[in-house]
Amino acid sequence: MAKGSLVARRIDIYDNVKPPLCTSCGKPLNPSSKAVSFYCPNCGVFLIWRCEKCRTQGSTYKCPNCGFEGP
Ligand SMILES: [Zn+2]
Ligand SMILES: [Zn+2]
């Protein structure tokens, strides 16, 4: 009867890790994906993350600190 209690909620585990968010699309990055991170080339303060999809699509990002937009 109590089959449901065996189902682990993976999203809870994922929350604890606090994955970084892609600066372009805002989605949490999978640790196993080929995401890249670099500091904003304009202000050098904000750490920008880009997921593999946004890299291949050439999506633009916008720095929340200085408003710089780049490819
Ligand atoms: Zn993205
Ligand atoms: Zn910046």
Side-chain angles (χ1 to χ4, degrees):
M1 280 297 282
K3 275 182 183 174
S5 61
L6 295 174
V7 178
R9 292 193 60 205
R10 290 188 183 180
I11 191 72
D12 288 345
I13 301 165
Y14 205 60
D15 268 350
N16 289 336
V17 179
K18 278 269 181 188
L21 302 177
C22 173
T23 308
S24 291
C25 66
K27 289 179 181 173
L29 297 167
N30 190 324
S32 62
S33 70
K34 291 173 183 170
V36 290
S37 66
F38 54 91
Y39 284 99
C40 171
N42 188 52
C43 67
V45 172
F46 188 79
L47 185 63
I48 288 163
W49 282 92
R50 298 186 83 201
C51 68
E52 191 175 2
K53 188 181 168 190
C54 287
R55 275 177 59 213
T56 51
Q57 289 183 345
S59 303
T60 57
Y61 59 83
K62 186 175 183 180
C63 173
N65 184 56
C66 67
F68 175 82
E69 288 186 51

